[in-house]
Amino acid sequence: MEYIISPSILAADFGHLAREAEAVEKAGARYLHLDVMDGHFVPSISFGLPLIASLRKQSSLIFDVHLMISDPDRYLEAFARAGADVITVHAEAAPHLDRTLAAIHGLGLKAGVALNPATPLSVLDWILPQADMVLLMTVNPGFGGQQYLDYCDEKIKALREMVSVRGLHTDIEVDGGIHLGNLERVLAAGANVIVAGSAVFGADPEGQARAFMKILRKQAEEA
Ligand code: DX5
Ligand code: ZN
């Protein structure tokens, strides 16, 4: 299994985004997590298509686009054109997940399904094989800098079990409140794609990303 850090630019300095992306790339990160919020599915508004398209010209990182928006189907093609490599939609916002994931794959991209903390894993029962990744929110989506919800340990474990019992290789991404102090805990529970916003971009992104990568490398050796 691959262990990946996906630094979230939500906590980065928006005046110098290209430089911030470069810092984590220099540290060895391959993914960049882009949190799109519409002020409807979640309370806050973050950024959208033009920003991603601009950053695409400046960065060759894998763009891991997390759509916290209502009716994501309307925008899949536009996000693909803007430069997304992975598009993750929320199960709570996409009632026709089968069609949505097929549309993302049809655009030549990887497809993820995100679940809010309170959403049961059972919504994945029939769709899991179609998802390249499941993103488990470990805070209520909408803001960076919140505290990890403890009960998510059990949810991550249950999803890892569900994935392995079915002989799948689905990535499990965790998002919200992850820092160096609880990283090993979510890895032990079964997560392998780690989003970190404030923990990386709060101060010294390159150094923080390196510190995350060191633990991820250790985990990969031990696994
Ligand atoms: C929250 C976003 C997260 C956010 C995480 O709704 O989906 O990706 O950037 O930020 P931290 O790591 O600060 O909790
Ligand atoms: Zn996110």
Side-chain angles (χ1 to χ4, degrees):
M1 191 163 23
E2 236 190 313
Y3 289 90
I4 295 165
I5 178 165
S6 192
S8 166
I9 61 154
L10 192 62
D13 177 355
F14 277 39
H16 301 98
L17 273 186
R19 203 173 67 193
E20 299 272 73
E22 213 181 293
V24 295
E25 187 166 13
K26 235 168 121 191
R30 292 173 39 240
Y31 276 47
L32 196 66
H33 188 81
L34 299 149
D35 285 305
V36 179
M37 302 180 183
D38 65 353
H40 185 259
F41 176 67
V42 290
S44 191
I45 298 176
S46 57
F47 53 80
L49 294 159
L51 183 138
I52 295 177
S54 298
L55 196 57
R56 182 73 288 175
K57 294 188 202 127
Q58 309 288 330
S59 173
S60 51
L61 287 165
I62 295 168
F63 279 10
D64 170 28
V65 176
H66 178 192
L67 295 182
M68 283 163 277
I69 64 174
S70 302
D71 200 4
D73 297 25
R74 283 175 63 196
Y75 302 98
L76 299 176
E77 208 180 320
F79 279 103
R81 236 180 295 123
D85 296 295
V86 184
I87 295 182
T88 297
V89 298
H90 269 264
E92 305 85 355
H96 309 292
L97 269 181
D98 182 83
R99 186 162 63 207
T100 305
L101 296 188
I104 298 171
H105 285 141
L107 292 163
L109 309 181
K110 284 200 171 176
V113 177
L115 305 185
N116 286 335
T119 302
L121 294 177
S122 58
V123 300
L124 300 168
D125 274 354
W126 298 98
I127 202 67
L128 194 58
Q130 270 89 283
D132 300 294
M133 180 164 84
V134 174
L135 183 162
L136 293 182
M137 285 304 314
T138 45
V139 298
N140 288 292
F143 306 97
Q146 302 180 77
Q147 213 189 330
Y148 178 86
L149 295 167
D150 288 334
Y151 63 81
C152 292
D153 288 8
E154 288 308 310
K155 195 175 182 187
I156 302 165
K157 273 186 209 155
L159 177 58
R160 180 51 72 196
E161 177 71 13
M162 191 172 169
V163 165
S164 60
V165 160
R166 296 182 187 206
L168 298 169
H169 300 283
T170 321
D171 283 320
I172 300 181
E173 182 170 47
V174 285
D175 185 2
I178 315 286
H179 50 80
L180 288 169
N182 61 13
L183 174 59
E184 272 150 322
R185 168 177 167 187
V186 295
L187 291 172
N192 73 303
V193 182
I194 309 297
V195 177
S198 30
V200 167
F201 289 108
D204 183 20
E206 192 184 329
Q208 289 305 306
R210 271 190 212 287
F212 270 80
M213 304 260 323
K214 199 174 158 194
I215 297 176
L216 294 180
R217 242 177 261 123
K218 197 177 109 216
Q219 176 73 22
E221 280 160 18
E222 285 166 10

